[in-house]
Amino acid sequence: MTKVKICGLSNIEAVETAVSAGADYIGFVFAPSKRQVTVEQAAELTEIIPANVKKVGVFVSPSRAELLGAVDKVGLDFVQVHGQVADDLFEDLPCGSIQAVQVDEGGHVPNSQADYLLFDAPVAGSGQTFDWGQLDTTELSQPFFIAGGLNEDNVARAIQHFSPFAVDVSSGVETDGQKDHEKIRRFIERVKNGISRTK
C-alpha cells in the first residue's frame, strides 16, 4: 500500500491528528519557510510520535554538519534534501535519506546516492502540481515519493499514474495557511482506502 507523508507540521495537535489518522511519515521543515520549525521545537514534537511513524527533517542545501546535528537532536529517521546536494552528502548517514527533485520540462532524474527520491513541483510547498507526463519513473532503481500540489481530490489519480512508494502533502491539507485536521484525515483515508470513497 502507498505510504503517506504529512509535511510541514509545527504543533502538537496537527502531529497527533496525522499520527492517529495513519500517517507513515511526519515531516518537519528546517529550511526557511512559513512552516519552519527549530530543531528544539521538532525535538519536542517528536516525543509524541510512535516508533512506527518515521520522522523526516526537510532541508535546503544543508551542510553535512547541519544534517548530523538535527538527526542527533531530533532523532530523525530520514533527512530530505532540496536544492544543491554535495556528492558525498548522503554517504554513511546514521539515518535514511531522500533527495528532492523539482520536475522541470525535461523530466530529468538525477543519479543520486539517496535511499529515496521525491519528485516535487518547480516551487516546493506552493501547492502547484507538475506535469505528470514529463516524468518517466520506469527506469528508477530507488523507491520514490510523489509530491507537488497533491490533495484529497487528485491523490488517487497520482497513485494510479505513478504507483509510488509514498505520497507527500503539505499545502494540500491546509486551510488559510494552517494545517486542517479534517483535510489531513481525508487525505490519508483517500490514500489508504482507495478512490471509491467520497469526502
Side-chain angles (χ1 to χ4, degrees):
M1 179 181 286
T2 307
K3 295 186 181 297
V4 180
K5 175 169 167 274
I6 306 293
C7 201
L9 299 183
S10 58
N11 62 62
I12 287 175
E13 294 77 16
V15 171
E16 287 177 337
T17 296
V19 169
S20 65
D24 302 289
Y25 297 83
I26 300 291
F28 298 108
V29 177
F30 297 120
S33 160
K34 64 183 179 182
R35 305 177 184 94
Q36 183 177 14
V37 294
T38 65
V39 168
E40 291 75 21
Q41 287 172 313
E44 285 188 24
L45 292 171
T46 59
E47 292 178 4
I48 63 170
I49 299 177
N52 63 306
V53 179
K54 303 306 180 187
K55 304 174 290 291
V56 184
V58 181
F59 304 83
V60 173
S61 304
S63 67
R64 189 173 171 86
E66 184 181 351
L67 290 186
L68 293 175
V71 170
D72 180 58
K73 291 176 183 172
V74 182
L76 296 174
D77 300 296
F78 287 86
V79 294
Q80 175 180 317
V81 179
H82 295 247
Q84 295 299 311
V85 177
D87 291 341
D88 62 350
L89 187 69
F90 297 123
E91 288 181 6
D92 301 320
L93 287 175
C95 65
S97 56
I98 304 167
Q99 181 172 349
V101 180
Q102 287 164 291
V103 179
D104 56 22
E105 293 179 3
H108 174 66
V109 177
N111 184 13
S112 172
Q113 294 186 17
D115 299 315
Y116 297 83
L117 295 177
L118 180 146
F119 295 105
D120 204 347
V123 180
S126 65
Q128 302 297 309
T129 57
F130 61 87
D131 182 348
W132 295 349
Q134 291 175 338
L135 179 63
D136 181 5
T137 59
T138 54
E139 301 297 319
L140 272 182
S141 58
Q142 292 124 311
F144 61 93
F145 292 64
I146 292 293
L150 296 183
N151 55 51
E152 62 184 287
D153 296 321
N154 65 12
V155 68
R157 293 198 304 276
I159 291 169
Q160 285 183 318
H161 185 90
F162 289 108
S163 298
F165 170 78
V167 289
D168 181 10
V169 65
S170 184
S171 59
V173 291
E174 291 178 351
T175 298
D176 298 328
Q178 300 296 318
K179 287 295 184 284
D180 183 317
H181 296 211
E182 275 306 307
K183 285 184 179 180
I184 290 173
R185 292 188 188 99
R186 290 200 301 261
F187 183 91
I188 294 173
E189 182 175 277
R190 192 63 57 89
V191 176
K192 303 290 186 181
N193 295 326
I195 59 176
S196 62
R197 301 292 286 238
T198 56
K199 291 184 185 178

